[in-house]
Every structure is written in C-alpha cells, then in structure tokens.
C-alpha cells in the first residue's frame, strides 16, 4: 500500500465508537458512499467486509493492546478511498497485532470472518499506521 494512502484528502473518513452502533454506521456510510461514487454494485460486498473489520477491531484489537478503553475507542476508524479501478475499505485499530486468517473446525461458532473477507475482496491485508496501530484493508476492483 502507498505510504500516504491512510491520510489521503480524498478518503471518506468516519471515526467509530466502541458501541454496537459503530458497525451499523460504518456499513451505512460504506453503502451510501459507494452509491454516491456510482459503484452501488460493490456495496453489498463492501458492507460485509467493513462490518467484519469493525467487529474485529472492536472485539479483538482493543483488548489486545494496553491502552485505556476510551483511548482504544478513539483509535478506531473507517476509511474509504476510491482510486482508478479500485476501492479501498480500511479500518484502523490501536493494535499492532496482525489479523490471522483461520481455518476453524466445523463445530466452532466463530473465526470465519476473514475467510469471508478473503472470498469477497480482490486482495486484503494490513499495514502499520505510525503511532496509531494498524489498518486492516480490502481492495475491491471496479474497472
């Protein structure tokens, strides 16, 4: 990922709180933004990806770092960036720990979210964000 993509002035930005309304707000912003960009055909996949990233950020990343809960909540945010032929959906969280694509047992009730992201996106990964943790991102091609 380009070094300056996270703070791009053309990115749509949404800070997120730790409450259950955060995922809903992130999905709504994603749907509306993609519709405004004329990319409504990507909205369903992008919403699912963003919902998973937000859930992971609020569930796992905030607990994985030793920062006060309020500060962890302030360091969660959504970025949507449209570039030529692609849309980047990214969620910032305060942890430096890499997300792990798991192969859960068939009886496990969780752990499949990143498998869904892997299936829906053209490419996904994570990048450190200096002084703020990491961004977990997915790219959807729209050419």
């Amino acid at each position: 990922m380009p070094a300056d993509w996270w703070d791009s002035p053309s990115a749509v930005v949404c800070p997120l709180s730790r409450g259950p309304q955060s995922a809903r707000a992130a999905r709504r912003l994603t749907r509306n933004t993609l519709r405004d960009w004329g990319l409504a055909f990507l909205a369903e996949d992008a919403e699912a990806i963003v919902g998973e990233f937000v859930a992971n950020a609020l569930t796992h990343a905030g607990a994985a770092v030793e920062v006060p809960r309020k500060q962890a909540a302030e360091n969660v945010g959504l970025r949507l960036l449209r570039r030529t032929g692609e849309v980047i959906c990214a969620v910032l969280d305060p942890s430096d720990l890499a997300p792990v694509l798991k192969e859960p047992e068939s009886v496990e009730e969780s752990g499949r979210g990143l498998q869904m992201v892997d299936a829906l996106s053209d490419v996904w990964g994570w990048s450190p964000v200096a002084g703020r943790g990491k961004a977990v991102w997915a790219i959807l091609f729209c050419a």
Side-chain angles (χ1 to χ4, degrees):
M1 298 297 296
D4 63 345
W5 73 275
W6 183 257
D7 292 315
S8 170
S10 60
V12 173
V13 178
C14 178
L16 300 170
S17 70
R18 287 191 70 81
Q21 70 281 4
S22 288
R24 181 178 31 239
R27 289 189 307 269
R28 183 178 301 125
L29 176 66
T30 300
R31 177 179 55 249
N32 292 340
T33 299
L34 291 176
R35 186 189 63 224
D36 292 348
W37 288 345
L39 301 172
F41 64 95
L42 293 176
E44 189 174 321
D45 290 349
E47 282 182 73
I49 290 166
V50 164
E52 180 60 27
F53 285 169
V54 171
N56 284 348
L58 297 178
T59 302
H60 303 295
V65 294
E66 294 197 17
V67 296
R69 183 175 269 254
K70 183 176 188 283
Q71 184 181 347
E74 291 169 353
N75 288 330
V76 176
L78 168 68
R79 299 287 192 279
L80 301 171
L81 179 63
R82 182 178 184 185
R83 299 191 309 185
T84 303
E86 65 187 21
V87 171
I88 302 172
C89 304
V91 172
L92 174 74
D93 70 57
S95 170
D96 293 330
L97 299 176
V100 177
L101 183 62
K102 296 179 182 177
E103 298 266 347
E105 297 294 325
S106 62
V107 295
E108 290 184 65
E109 294 182 11
S110 64
R112 293 173 180 79
L114 290 178
Q115 289 181 341
M116 178 195 63
V117 169
D118 192 53
L120 294 176
S121 65
D122 291 292
V123 63
W124 73 276
W126 71 282
S127 303
V129 178
R132 295 189 271 181
K134 71 173 176 298
V136 183
W137 48 263
I139 297 175
L140 300 170
F141 296 146
C142 58

